[in-house]
Amino acid sequence: MDTSIVITHMMLEAAELGLGTTWVGGFSHQKARELFGIPDYLVPVAMLPIGYPADDVEPHSWHFKRFDIEHSVFYNSFDGITEGEVH
């Protein structure tokens, strides 16, 4: 949780400086350890590439795709939801 808070603030500060960022959470932790010399007692949780975004950059088409609110918001009960239905 602390990592999430810190990275979020890093992203906000980067944006304030006119830089672009993206949160990368899907990577090989072992490969990251090898490439960046991270000791075994530390766990790499995320990577945060930072740079100047291209002027013509466009969000991926999935950026605006959302589930209906009923898909992920439940009121007082999870009745009727099966394991494979929640993503």
Side-chain angles (χ1 to χ4, degrees), residues 66-75 77-82 85-87:
R66 301 288 184 260
F67 287 115
D68 291 335
I69 195 165
E70 295 82 16
H71 184 84
S72 54
V73 176
F74 307 96
Y75 297 96
S77 172
F78 293 100
D79 291 341
I81 302 299
T82 61
E85 291 181 319
V86 179
H87 302 278

Side-chain angles (χ1 to χ4, degrees), residues 12-46:
L12 290 169
E13 181 62 24
E16 182 69 23
L17 296 171
L19 298 167
T21 64
T22 188
W23 183 301
V24 178
F27 58 92
S28 166
H29 297 230
Q30 187 56 41
K31 190 68 171 176
R33 279 193 171 99
E34 293 169 14
L35 290 172
F36 299 110
I38 300 170
D40 288 339
Y41 63 88
L42 295 176
V43 178
V45 176

Side-chain angles (χ1 to χ4, degrees), residues 37-71:
I38 300 170
D40 288 339
Y41 63 88
L42 295 176
V43 178
V45 176
M47 293 188 196
L48 188 61
I50 299 175
Y52 294 98
D55 292 333
D56 61 348
V57 70
E58 294 286 332
H60 190 280
S61 61
W62 291 355
H63 179 78
F64 301 104
K65 183 178 179 180
R66 301 288 184 260
F67 287 115
D68 291 335
I69 195 165
E70 295 82 16
H71 184 84

